[in-house]
Amino acid sequence: MDINALLGQGLGQGGLGQGLGQQQEANIPDTAEQVQVSSLALIKMLKHARAGIPFEVMGLLIGEIIDDYTIKVVDVFSMPQTASSVSVESIDPVYQQQMVELLKVTGRMENCIGWYHSHPSYGCWLSSVDINTQQSYEQLNKKAVAVVIDPIQSVKGKVVIDAFRLIPQQQMILSQEPRQTTSNTGHLQKPGLEALLRGLNRYYYSINIKFKCNELEQKMLQNLYKNSWTNGLKLKSPHVNSQINEETMDSIAKLAIDYQKLLGLYYQYEESKKGEAEVKIKNTGKKDPKRHLGMKVDDLMHNNIGSILARMIATKTF
């Protein structure tokens, strides 16, 4: 009989092996572990998840395990799957290996370190089907992670995403903590009630996600919405330009009527000696017709002058 094993199990019951149990627990990855997701991987996951609404989608994570505290995700790719609005499963196990080999041909030498899938509109947690899928990945790699993303609740500036790993069954039986508590991340980002009801901290635990951008990715993101100098030379068809001018003139006419009414209010309040402040208080929260009238006129002049200049340049050039 192994006395050290018995003393190690005594940690769960607070027995004599507490000191030895702490030495064994020191090798367990703690709550300071992070999953670093690149901007390319995040954009591809969001785009894939939004394209699949209202069904769930899934794919694989490509990256590397740096050390016991850092997992780096550099890229993702989708895979053949069968899905519904509440579940998703892979249907081609050979596809993963073929895709990884093709990526290595293109210079992507990292391996598969987990998988991702979407939960449209119902938060980040793992269902029973997801737990079974994660078990199959952890049999191949104990450090594999499952990333869950919600494309509907994700808005501009905030991505609803989380990473999970299963709690070993032996620790679940002994009621032991799966990791040491050496980070305040779990206290700063409290889990949702839905995730707790679905087995968070009982069958699986959450891992902190951090987004990383290198210099080239930062330049790529900055150039996404950057207007090219050639956009100013693009010509709209005369029919489209005429339609835009008609719509703009209609809105200018309506704004002019609203501005005329506003001037009438100013005149009435001046006669009653209440002054301009009363008019501003009465129109608080309403559209300012004077400002919008100036904006519409500027847009009308800008579009027509730009169109005329572009046609003159095109005539001289071509």
Side-chain angles (χ1 to χ4, degrees), residues 44-79:
K44 290 175 73 172
M45 281 191 290
L46 269 175
K47 189 175 181 180
H48 185 203
R50 286 185 180 275
I53 294 174
F55 299 107
E56 291 189 9
V57 299
M58 72 176 296
L60 296 182
L61 306 174
I62 300 297
E64 56 183 341
I65 299 172
I66 306 298
D67 51 32
D68 289 341
Y69 307 101
T70 307
I71 297 176
K72 188 176 181 181
V73 180
V74 297
D75 202 354
V76 299
F77 64 87
S78 59
M79 57 191 305

Side-chain angles (χ1 to χ4, degrees), residues 245 248 295-307:
N245 288 338
T248 305
M295 291 171 59
K296 288 292 183 180
V297 171
D298 289 340
D299 290 341
L300 183 65
M301 297 293 292
H302 179 268
N303 290 333
N304 283 277
I305 292 175
S307 178

Side-chain angles (χ1 to χ4, degrees), residues 177-218:
E177 192 70 27
R179 304 174 293 175
Q180 302 178 67
T181 305
T182 60
S183 173
N184 60 357
T185 304
H187 299 280
L188 294 176
Q189 300 177 357
K190 293 184 179 181
L193 180 60
E194 181 72 18
L196 294 174
L197 293 175
R198 297 284 184 170
L200 180 63
N201 298 330
R202 288 187 289 121
Y203 303 110
Y204 54 90
Y205 58 88
S206 176
I207 305 174
N208 184 36
I209 290 182
K210 189 174 183 180
F211 304 115
K212 284 279 188 176
C213 278
N214 57 34
E215 186 177 354
L216 292 177
E217 289 175 338
Q218 289 179 359

